Amino acid sequence: MTELVPAYEGKKPYLFVSYAHKDSDLVLPVIAKMFEKKYRVWYDEGIAPGSEWPKNIADHLNAADGVIVFVSENYLASPNCENEVVRAAEGKKTIFRYSLDGSTHPKLTGENSIAVGSADDLIAAIPEQYVGDGTGYERSIGKQ
């Protein structure tokens, strides 16, 4: 069972996390590590029950300053993940791409896309502007 952390819901710059749910066991510990270090990240655990899922995702992606993409075969097979990549690229957001299984995404190239090789590399690559004071997390989350 993975301990879930709350998603950032404040007004300061934050990173949107794009991942395939089939990869949750690999992704959620990285998100938890980022939360411990006070990085402002939003992921789909921040969606309030009863809200419209696609609109909520789109709104948070549009408002994010950057995106972390956890690339994998599962990610590449997901139409929802593909939509997030396209929207992030169109929005000219900085994209931090972390391959979970050696997979690459053909649309994640160029100057706005930064490749990292590990969770520690990811955290080291993210600018200080995304580090907060621990506020802006409205919901408490349980376990998955």
Side-chain angles (χ1 to χ4, degrees), residues 18-103:
S18 179
Y19 69 104
H21 275 249
K22 289 181 181 178
D23 296 326
S24 292
D25 288 345
L26 299 172
V27 173
L28 295 177
V30 177
I31 293 172
K33 190 173 188 177
M34 293 180 77
F35 177 77
E36 288 172 11
K37 295 183 178 289
K38 298 189 183 205
Y39 282 88
R40 293 185 298 267
V41 296
W42 187 91
Y43 68 116
D44 57 4
E45 288 303 325
I47 297 177
S51 63
E52 187 179 332
W53 194 274
K55 181 180 180 333
N56 208 311
I57 294 280
D59 289 348
H60 281 91
L61 180 54
N62 289 338
D65 291 78
V67 179
I68 300 171
V69 175
F70 288 91
V71 183
S72 68
E73 289 297 322
N74 293 323
Y75 189 92
L76 296 171
S78 167
N80 291 330
C81 292
E82 182 64 17
N83 290 339
E84 292 169 7
V85 164
V86 169
R87 186 175 291 242
E90 287 173 352
K92 307 261 189 257
K93 297 181 184 300
T94 300
I95 299 172
F96 300 90
R97 64 186 194 277
Y98 175 13
S99 180
L100 296 173
D101 61 8
S103 297

